[in-house]
Structure formats: C-alpha cells, structure tokens
Short mmCIF file of all heavy atoms in Angstrom, two decimals:
data_model
loop_
_atom_site.label_atom_id
_atom_site.label_comp_id
_atom_site.label_asym_id
_atom_site.label_seq_id
_atom_site.Cartn_x
_atom_site.Cartn_y
_atom_site.Cartn_z
N ARG A 1 0.84 -1.20 0.00
CA ARG A 1 0.00 0.00 0.00
C ARG A 1 0.88 1.25 0.00
O ARG A 1 2.05 1.22 0.38
CB ARG A 1 -0.95 -0.02 1.21
CG ARG A 1 -1.96 -1.12 1.13
CD ARG A 1 -2.95 -1.10 2.26
NE ARG A 1 -2.37 -1.46 3.54
CZ ARG A 1 -3.08 -1.74 4.63
NH1 ARG A 1 -4.39 -1.68 4.59
NH2 ARG A 1 -2.47 -2.07 5.75
N ILE A 2 0.27 2.36 -0.42
CA ILE A 2 0.99 3.62 -0.53
C ILE A 2 1.60 4.02 0.81
O ILE A 2 0.91 4.02 1.84
CB ILE A 2 0.06 4.74 -1.04
CG1 ILE A 2 -0.30 4.48 -2.50
CG2 ILE A 2 0.70 6.12 -0.88
CD1 ILE A 2 -1.28 5.49 -3.06
N GLY A 3 2.88 4.34 0.80
CA GLY A 3 3.55 4.84 2.00
C GLY A 3 3.94 3.77 3.00
O GLY A 3 4.43 4.10 4.09
N ASP A 4 3.73 2.47 2.68
CA ASP A 4 4.05 1.44 3.66
C ASP A 4 5.56 1.38 3.89
O ASP A 4 6.35 1.54 2.96
CB ASP A 4 3.54 0.07 3.18
CG ASP A 4 3.28 -0.89 4.33
OD1 ASP A 4 3.55 -0.51 5.49
OD2 ASP A 4 2.80 -2.00 4.07
N GLN A 5 5.92 1.17 5.11
CA GLN A 5 7.32 1.15 5.53
C GLN A 5 7.77 -0.30 5.69
O GLN A 5 7.11 -1.09 6.37
CB GLN A 5 7.49 1.90 6.85
CG GLN A 5 7.07 3.37 6.78
CD GLN A 5 6.68 3.93 8.14
OE1 GLN A 5 6.17 3.22 8.99
NE2 GLN A 5 6.89 5.22 8.33
N ARG A 6 8.91 -0.66 5.08
CA ARG A 6 9.44 -2.01 5.27
C ARG A 6 9.87 -2.21 6.72
O ARG A 6 9.72 -3.30 7.26
CB ARG A 6 10.65 -2.26 4.35
CG ARG A 6 10.41 -2.15 2.84
CD ARG A 6 9.31 -3.05 2.34
NE ARG A 6 9.37 -3.27 0.91
CZ ARG A 6 8.71 -2.56 0.01
NH1 ARG A 6 7.95 -1.54 0.39
NH2 ARG A 6 8.79 -2.85 -1.28
N TYR A 7 10.38 -1.16 7.33
CA TYR A 7 10.87 -1.27 8.70
C TYR A 7 10.61 0.04 9.42
O TYR A 7 11.04 1.10 8.99
CB TYR A 7 12.38 -1.56 8.69
CG TYR A 7 13.00 -1.75 10.07
CD1 TYR A 7 13.10 -3.02 10.63
CD2 TYR A 7 13.49 -0.67 10.80
CE1 TYR A 7 13.67 -3.20 11.88
CE2 TYR A 7 14.06 -0.85 12.05
CZ TYR A 7 14.15 -2.12 12.59
OH TYR A 7 14.72 -2.30 13.83
N TYR A 8 9.86 -0.04 10.51
CA TYR A 8 9.75 1.11 11.40
C TYR A 8 9.75 0.62 12.85
O TYR A 8 8.86 -0.12 13.27
CB TYR A 8 8.48 1.96 11.18
CG TYR A 8 8.50 3.15 12.10
CD1 TYR A 8 9.15 4.32 11.72
CD2 TYR A 8 7.99 3.07 13.39
CE1 TYR A 8 9.25 5.40 12.59
CE2 TYR A 8 8.09 4.15 14.27
CZ TYR A 8 8.74 5.29 13.86
OH TYR A 8 8.86 6.35 14.73
N VAL A 9 10.77 1.05 13.57
CA VAL A 9 10.88 0.80 15.01
C VAL A 9 11.22 2.13 15.66
O VAL A 9 12.14 2.83 15.23
CB VAL A 9 11.95 -0.26 15.33
CG1 VAL A 9 12.19 -0.36 16.83
CG2 VAL A 9 11.54 -1.62 14.76
N SER A 10 10.49 2.50 16.70
CA SER A 10 10.68 3.79 17.36
C SER A 10 11.95 3.80 18.20
O SER A 10 12.18 2.89 19.00
CB SER A 10 9.49 4.10 18.29
OG SER A 10 8.27 3.99 17.61
N ASP A 11 12.72 4.84 18.04
CA ASP A 11 13.77 5.14 19.01
C ASP A 11 13.11 5.92 20.14
O ASP A 11 12.75 7.09 19.97
CB ASP A 11 14.88 5.96 18.36
CG ASP A 11 16.03 6.26 19.31
OD1 ASP A 11 15.88 6.04 20.54
OD2 ASP A 11 17.08 6.75 18.85
N ILE A 12 12.93 5.30 21.27
CA ILE A 12 12.18 5.89 22.39
C ILE A 12 13.11 6.56 23.40
O ILE A 12 12.68 6.94 24.49
CB ILE A 12 11.30 4.85 23.08
CG1 ILE A 12 12.14 3.67 23.59
CG2 ILE A 12 10.21 4.38 22.13
CD1 ILE A 12 11.34 2.63 24.35
N THR A 13 14.38 6.76 23.01
CA THR A 13 15.38 7.28 23.95
C THR A 13 15.02 8.66 24.47
O THR A 13 15.18 8.95 25.67
CB THR A 13 16.76 7.32 23.29
OG1 THR A 13 17.09 6.02 22.80
CG2 THR A 13 17.83 7.80 24.26
N ARG A 14 14.52 9.54 23.59
CA ARG A 14 14.27 10.92 24.01
C ARG A 14 13.24 10.98 25.13
O ARG A 14 13.46 11.63 26.15
CB ARG A 14 13.80 11.77 22.82
CG ARG A 14 13.40 13.20 23.22
CD ARG A 14 12.86 14.01 22.05
NE ARG A 14 13.92 14.42 21.14
CZ ARG A 14 13.72 15.20 20.09
NH1 ARG A 14 12.48 15.62 19.79
NH2 ARG A 14 14.72 15.54 19.29
N PHE A 15 12.14 10.28 24.97
CA PHE A 15 11.11 10.32 26.02
C PHE A 15 11.57 9.55 27.26
O PHE A 15 11.34 10.00 28.39
CB PHE A 15 9.79 9.72 25.51
CG PHE A 15 8.64 9.93 26.45
CD1 PHE A 15 8.09 11.19 26.64
CD2 PHE A 15 8.12 8.87 27.18
CE1 PHE A 15 7.04 11.40 27.51
CE2 PHE A 15 7.06 9.06 28.05
CZ PHE A 15 6.52 10.32 28.22
N ALA A 16 12.24 8.43 27.06
CA ALA A 16 12.71 7.64 28.20
C ALA A 16 13.70 8.42 29.05
O ALA A 16 13.62 8.43 30.28
CB ALA A 16 13.33 6.34 27.71
N SER A 17 14.63 9.11 28.39
CA SER A 17 15.63 9.87 29.14
C SER A 17 15.04 11.11 29.79
O SER A 17 15.53 11.57 30.84
CB SER A 17 16.80 10.25 28.24
OG SER A 17 16.36 11.08 27.17
N SER A 18 13.97 11.64 29.23
CA SER A 18 13.34 12.84 29.79
C SER A 18 12.44 12.52 30.97
O SER A 18 12.20 13.39 31.81
CB SER A 18 12.52 13.56 28.71
OG SER A 18 13.34 14.00 27.65
N THR A 19 11.92 11.30 31.02
CA THR A 19 10.88 10.99 32.01
C THR A 19 11.14 9.73 32.85
O THR A 19 10.49 9.54 33.87
CB THR A 19 9.53 10.79 31.31
OG1 THR A 19 9.60 9.63 30.46
CG2 THR A 19 9.17 12.01 30.47
N GLY A 20 12.04 8.87 32.40
CA GLY A 20 12.24 7.60 33.08
C GLY A 20 11.28 6.51 32.65
O GLY A 20 11.35 5.38 33.15
N TRP A 21 10.40 6.79 31.69
CA TRP A 21 9.42 5.81 31.22
C TRP A 21 10.10 4.73 30.37
O TRP A 21 11.08 5.01 29.66
CB TRP A 21 8.36 6.50 30.38
CG TRP A 21 7.41 5.58 29.67
CD1 TRP A 21 6.26 5.05 30.16
CD2 TRP A 21 7.51 5.11 28.32
NE1 TRP A 21 5.64 4.27 29.21
CE2 TRP A 21 6.39 4.28 28.08
CE3 TRP A 21 8.46 5.28 27.30
CZ2 TRP A 21 6.18 3.64 26.85
CZ3 TRP A 21 8.26 4.64 26.09
CH2 TRP A 21 7.13 3.84 25.87
N ALA A 22 9.58 3.52 30.43
CA ALA A 22 10.00 2.44 29.55
C ALA A 22 8.87 1.43 29.45
O ALA A 22 8.11 1.24 30.42
CB ALA A 22 11.26 1.75 30.09
N PRO A 23 8.70 0.78 28.30
CA PRO A 23 7.68 -0.26 28.19
C PRO A 23 7.96 -1.40 29.16
O PRO A 23 9.12 -1.79 29.35
CB PRO A 23 7.81 -0.73 26.74
CG PRO A 23 8.52 0.38 26.02
CD PRO A 23 9.43 0.99 27.03
N LYS A 24 6.90 -1.93 29.76
CA LYS A 24 7.05 -3.03 30.71
C LYS A 24 6.47 -4.34 30.20
O LYS A 24 6.84 -5.40 30.69
CB LYS A 24 6.36 -2.65 32.03
CG LYS A 24 7.00 -1.47 32.74
CD LYS A 24 6.24 -1.13 34.03
CE LYS A 24 6.88 0.06 34.74
NZ LYS A 24 6.12 0.42 35.98
N VAL A 25 5.54 -4.27 29.25
CA VAL A 25 4.82 -5.47 28.80
C VAL A 25 5.45 -5.98 27.51
O VAL A 25 5.48 -5.26 26.50
CB VAL A 25 3.33 -5.17 28.60
CG1 VAL A 25 2.58 -6.43 28.14
CG2 VAL A 25 2.72 -4.62 29.88
N SER A 26 5.93 -7.21 27.53
CA SER A 26 6.57 -7.80 26.35
C SER A 26 5.52 -8.15 25.30
O SER A 26 4.31 -8.23 25.59
CB SER A 26 7.34 -9.06 26.74
OG SER A 26 6.45 -10.09 27.15
N VAL A 27 5.98 -8.39 24.08
CA VAL A 27 5.07 -8.80 23.01
C VAL A 27 4.34 -10.09 23.39
O VAL A 27 3.12 -10.21 23.22
CB VAL A 27 5.85 -8.99 21.69
CG1 VAL A 27 4.94 -9.58 20.61
CG2 VAL A 27 6.43 -7.66 21.22
N GLU A 28 5.06 -11.06 23.91
CA GLU A 28 4.44 -12.34 24.26
C GLU A 28 3.37 -12.16 25.33
O GLU A 28 2.25 -12.69 25.20
CB GLU A 28 5.51 -13.31 24.76
CG GLU A 28 4.98 -14.68 25.12
CD GLU A 28 6.06 -15.65 25.56
OE1 GLU A 28 7.23 -15.22 25.65
OE2 GLU A 28 5.74 -16.82 25.81
N VAL A 29 3.67 -11.41 26.38
CA VAL A 29 2.70 -11.20 27.45
C VAL A 29 1.52 -10.38 26.95
O VAL A 29 0.36 -10.69 27.24
CB VAL A 29 3.38 -10.53 28.66
CG1 VAL A 29 2.34 -10.10 29.69
CG2 VAL A 29 4.39 -11.48 29.30
N GLY A 30 1.79 -9.31 26.21
CA GLY A 30 0.72 -8.45 25.73
C GLY A 30 -0.24 -9.17 24.80
O GLY A 30 -1.47 -9.02 24.91
N LEU A 31 0.28 -9.98 23.89
CA LEU A 31 -0.59 -10.73 22.99
C LEU A 31 -1.42 -11.75 23.76
O LEU A 31 -2.60 -11.97 23.45
CB LEU A 31 0.24 -11.44 21.92
CG LEU A 31 0.80 -10.57 20.79
CD1 LEU A 31 1.70 -11.40 19.89
CD2 LEU A 31 -0.32 -9.93 19.99
N GLY A 32 -0.81 -12.36 24.77
CA GLY A 32 -1.57 -13.28 25.60
C GLY A 32 -2.72 -12.60 26.31
O GLY A 32 -3.83 -13.14 26.39
N ARG A 33 -2.46 -11.40 26.82
CA ARG A 33 -3.53 -10.64 27.49
C ARG A 33 -4.64 -10.25 26.52
O ARG A 33 -5.83 -10.35 26.83
CB ARG A 33 -2.95 -9.39 28.14
CG ARG A 33 -2.05 -9.65 29.33
CD ARG A 33 -1.55 -8.33 29.90
NE ARG A 33 -0.61 -8.54 30.98
CZ ARG A 33 0.03 -7.53 31.60
NH1 ARG A 33 -0.20 -6.27 31.24
NH2 ARG A 33 0.88 -7.79 32.58
N LEU A 34 -4.25 -9.79 25.34
CA LEU A 34 -5.26 -9.39 24.36
C LEU A 34 -6.08 -10.60 23.91
O LEU A 34 -7.30 -10.51 23.76
CB LEU A 34 -4.59 -8.72 23.15
CG LEU A 34 -5.51 -8.32 22.00
CD1 LEU A 34 -6.62 -7.39 22.48
CD2 LEU A 34 -4.71 -7.68 20.87
#
C-alpha cells in the first residue's frame, strides 16, 4: 500500500531519558492478554 514502511521501530530514547518511562509489557505477554 501507498507509503508502507518495510521497517519502522521507534527510538524511544528521548522520552525515556526525559521521564524515566520504559515499556514493561513484552510482546508475548501483551498478545496473551489481548
């Protein structure tokens, strides 16, 4: 489709370093919950 990206992964360093935030739920755990 138009504009589709072969690879997109967020560099979350800026927000993490500014706030201390980081994802806690892994893909495996999150999919299981959903």
Side-chain angles (χ1 to χ4, degrees):
R1 294 183 290 192
I2 291 177
D4 205 356
Q5 300 155 329
R6 300 304 199 266
Y7 182 92
Y8 183 87
V9 172
S10 307
D11 182 348
I12 57 177
T13 304
R14 175 183 285 184
F15 189 71
S17 61
S18 298
T19 65
W21 172 87
K24 296 179 180 178
V25 181
S26 68
V27 173
E28 182 177 4
V29 171
L31 285 175
R33 291 181 184 176
L34 177 57

